Amino acid sequence: MDQELSPEVLARIEEKRLNALKLRSLKLKQKEENVSLVSQSERSDVQDNSVDESHETKEDVCDSCGMTGLDKFYLESYGEKVCKHCAHTLDIYSQLTKSDVASKYLLSDFTINSLPFAEKRNPHHRSWTAMKLYLRKHAQAAAHKKWGSEEALQNELRKREEMKLKRKLKTAETFFQDCKSGKEGNEPMPSKKKIRRQRLQVAVDEIVSAIKGD
């Protein structure tokens, strides 16, 4: 005659059975989460009811090269799905300071502050407020939205540079006029001032040449 199991033994058996079921359920759930779901439209095109392997890791591949293994820093800081190789070799993923974004892409503070950024300790003054670094990719996209295209942005940059050169030229011309009106017929200028004047003349010639496009 078989010996009956005690209630304590039966309870332990039941506990182990439930734990095994929970573990199996957890493993199945983790496996399902690693496989990307194929959309209904895509499923209708699959004749053999098999899942295309390219969809299994779609959410985990680099947007630039398609390789797996995303850079966690770029994903968390900028929301960019990019691998370490592309992040450190492609120019669009290079980081820019706020002043660089403003000067190179002509964006306002309001627009810049709306872009994703990462903070980095100031390398020159550690006690200063942390630097905010922005992606060139995001700055370019915002600039194209503001100015319409890359060509329009470059035209605006050239236009502003020409205006800047013209202001410098006007300042230099005013300086020469002041020198001529105050020094002609009087004692000669000190040698240091002559040297500064000669250097300024060279700078003016370069500015004029840049404006004329020589």
Side-chain angles (χ1 to χ4, degrees):
M1 182 176 180
D2 295 336
Q3 185 180 2
E4 294 185 1
L5 299 176
S6 64
E8 292 79 4
V9 174
L10 292 174
R12 286 198 298 271
I13 293 174
E14 180 64 16
E15 182 180 359
K16 290 182 179 180
R17 187 182 70 83
L18 293 176
N19 288 337
L21 290 175
K22 289 181 180 179
L23 182 60
R24 181 183 178 188
S25 177
L26 180 60
K27 289 182 177 180
L28 289 174
K29 184 178 180 180
Q30 290 176 340
K31 184 177 180 180
E32 290 174 356
E33 290 177 350
N34 291 332
V35 179
S36 301
L37 295 178
V38 182
S39 64
Q40 294 297 328
S41 59
E42 291 170 331
R43 289 186 181 185
S44 63
D45 297 330
V46 179
Q47 300 298 326
D48 57 357
N49 294 324
S50 62
V51 178
D52 188 347
E53 292 182 357
S54 64
H55 293 87
E56 293 183 358
T57 58
K58 185 176 181 179
E59 296 181 356
D60 300 324
V61 299
C62 175
D63 288 340
S64 295
C65 68
M67 298 296 290
T68 58
L70 302 181
D71 189 303
K72 185 177 180 181
F73 171 77
Y74 277 79
L75 182 63
E76 294 180 352
S77 301
Y78 300 111
E80 288 293 333
K81 296 178 180 178
V82 58
C83 66
K84 289 183 179 295
H85 176 74
C86 291
H88 293 88
T89 56
L90 297 183
D91 189 53
I92 59 173
Y93 295 111
S94 59
Q95 295 174 300
L96 303 173
T97 62
K98 185 175 183 178
S99 59
D100 285 337
V101 174
S103 61
K104 294 180 180 179
Y105 296 97
L106 307 179
L107 298 177
S108 64
D109 285 346
F110 177 81
T111 301
I112 296 175
N113 291 335
S114 67
L115 300 177
F117 65 88
E119 289 189 338
K120 180 181 179 181
R121 179 179 292 179
N122 192 301
H124 305 294
H125 302 278
R126 292 183 175 272
S127 60
W128 288 11
T129 304
M131 298 168 50
K132 290 184 178 181
L133 299 177
Y134 303 84
L135 279 193
R136 186 182 300 276
K137 176 182 179 180
H138 297 160
Q140 286 179 338
H144 292 172
K145 182 178 180 181
K146 177 179 180 179
W147 299 104
S149 65
E150 179 65 23
E151 181 180 1
L153 170 63
Q154 294 303 320
N155 288 337
E156 183 64 22
L157 284 169
R158 282 192 292 269
K159 178 180 176 182
R160 296 193 182 195
E161 187 63 25
E162 289 176 358
M163 292 175 63
K164 185 177 179 180
L165 290 172
K166 288 179 180 179
R167 287 196 298 268
K168 287 183 177 181
L169 177 59
K170 186 175 182 180
T171 300
E173 289 176 343
T174 301
F175 172 80
F176 281 123
Q177 291 297 327
D178 292 342
C179 288
K180 293 175 71 174
S181 62
K183 291 297 179 181
E184 282 187 354
N186 297 326
E187 60 185 51
M189 297 172 63
S191 59
K192 289 185 178 180
K193 288 188 177 180
K194 286 183 178 180
I195 293 174
R196 286 200 298 268
R197 183 173 179 177
Q198 290 173 353
R199 290 177 176 175
L200 185 56
Q201 180 64 58
V202 173
V204 171
D205 291 341
E206 292 177 350
I207 293 173
V208 173
S209 178
I211 294 176
K212 292 181 178 180
D214 296 341

